[in-house]
Amino acid sequence: MTIPRRSWRAAGTLAAAAVVGLTGAVLTAGPAAAHTPTWDVTCTEVSLHLSAYNGNVANQVTVTVDGKDLLPTETFGKGLDKTIELPEHDKALTVRLVVKAGDGDQYSRDESKQAPVCEETQEPTPTPSETKPSETPTTATPTPTDTPSESASSSAPAAATPSPSSPDLAETGSSSATPIIGGAAVAVLLAGGGIMWSVRKRRTAQH
């Protein structure tokens, strides 16, 4: 049996179409499985790690906090690594991540996370140190000595000595000067007698 040439051509066209379809499906599935958006939110920052994106197209990422731009729309290629610091806050913040893949909306992401309030670490209050009372200086009590000090004895008033010009005290009968006085009286009497004798002798010699 002879197969017409048109049948061969139709079969070849179908085979080629099937190969192209399979190839496109593989190429399409590859990027879909490769898009990996990873991000983390803490009380202080947002960390982005976008990898395995199609570098032949323009991909975009935007981060907002409570509706305000934290990271304005930024274009990237195969991947993006970025850490963004959060503003100070006293209540939880809503952080939203929007990733638009250039090779199809099916690879885009729109997610939200909460940024908690950082717990304040209270510094321990220093305990006031107990102030010890200052030691009162004790005055040493002098120990009494049995013997008087030399300074005390030297400062004692000296016994009064009679002045040479003071009048002599009256002699008593028991005075040791009595024999001397008696001797002096005898000498005076003898001298007087001698004088009287010499005067009489001269008068006699003149007559």
Side-chain angles (χ1 to χ4, degrees), residues 22 24 28 53 55 81 89 98 102 116 135:
L22 291 174
T28 303
Y53 278 81
D81 287 298
H89 52 281
V98 178
E135 297 181 357

Side-chain angles (χ1 to χ4, degrees), residues 133-142:
S134 58
E135 297 181 357
T136 305
T138 56
T139 305
T141 305

Side-chain angles (χ1 to χ4, degrees), residues 17 22 24 47 62 71 75 81 87-88 104 111-112 141 156 191 197 201 204-205:
L22 291 174
S47 301
T62 305
L71 174 65
T75 302
D81 287 298
E88 294 183 0
E111 299 177 354
S112 295
T141 305
W197 179 80
K201 186 176 181 180
T204 303

Side-chain angles (χ1 to χ4, degrees), residues 10-192:
T13 302
L14 291 176
V19 171
V20 171
L22 291 174
T23 303
V26 172
L27 293 175
T28 303
H35 293 75
T36 309
T38 304
W39 67 304
D40 188 32
V41 177
T42 65
C43 67
T44 58
E45 62 186 18
V46 178
S47 301
L48 301 178
H49 181 65
L50 310 178
S51 62
Y53 278 81
N54 187 354
N56 297 323
V57 296
N59 305 299
Q60 293 181 338
V61 58
T62 305
V63 179
T64 59
V65 176
D66 287 346
K68 299 180 181 179
D69 286 342
L70 181 65
L71 174 65
T73 302
E74 183 173 332
T75 302
F76 66 97
K78 292 183 178 180
L80 175 69
D81 287 298
K82 186 180 288 290
T83 300
I84 312 165
E85 187 175 352
L86 287 170
E88 294 183 0
H89 52 281
D90 55 2
K91 62 179 181 179
L93 301 176
T94 300
V95 183
R96 182 185 178 189
L97 171 70
V98 178
V99 179
K100 290 185 178 181
D103 51 359
D105 291 338
Q106 67 272 25
Y107 311 125
S108 299
R109 299 288 292 272
D110 189 344
E111 299 177 354
S112 295
K113 293 184 179 182
Q114 294 290 319
V117 178
C118 295
E119 296 182 0
E120 296 182 358
T121 56
Q122 296 182 353
E123 297 181 358
T125 305
T127 305
S129 58
E130 298 181 359
T131 56
K132 296 182 179 180
S134 58
E135 297 181 357
T136 305
T138 56
T139 305
T141 305
T143 304
T145 56
D146 295 337
T147 59
S149 61
E150 295 180 0
S151 59
S153 61
S154 61
S155 62
T161 56
S163 173
S165 61
S166 61
D168 296 334
L169 297 176
E171 295 291 340
T172 60
S174 60
S175 175
S176 59
T178 301
I180 298 174
I181 296 173
V186 172
V188 170
L189 291 177
L190 291 176

Side-chain angles (χ1 to χ4, degrees), residues 195-207:
I195 294 171
M196 290 296 294
W197 179 80
S198 60
V199 170
R200 286 180 180 181
K201 186 176 181 180
R202 286 180 182 178
R203 288 180 178 178
T204 303
Q206 289 178 358
H207 289 291

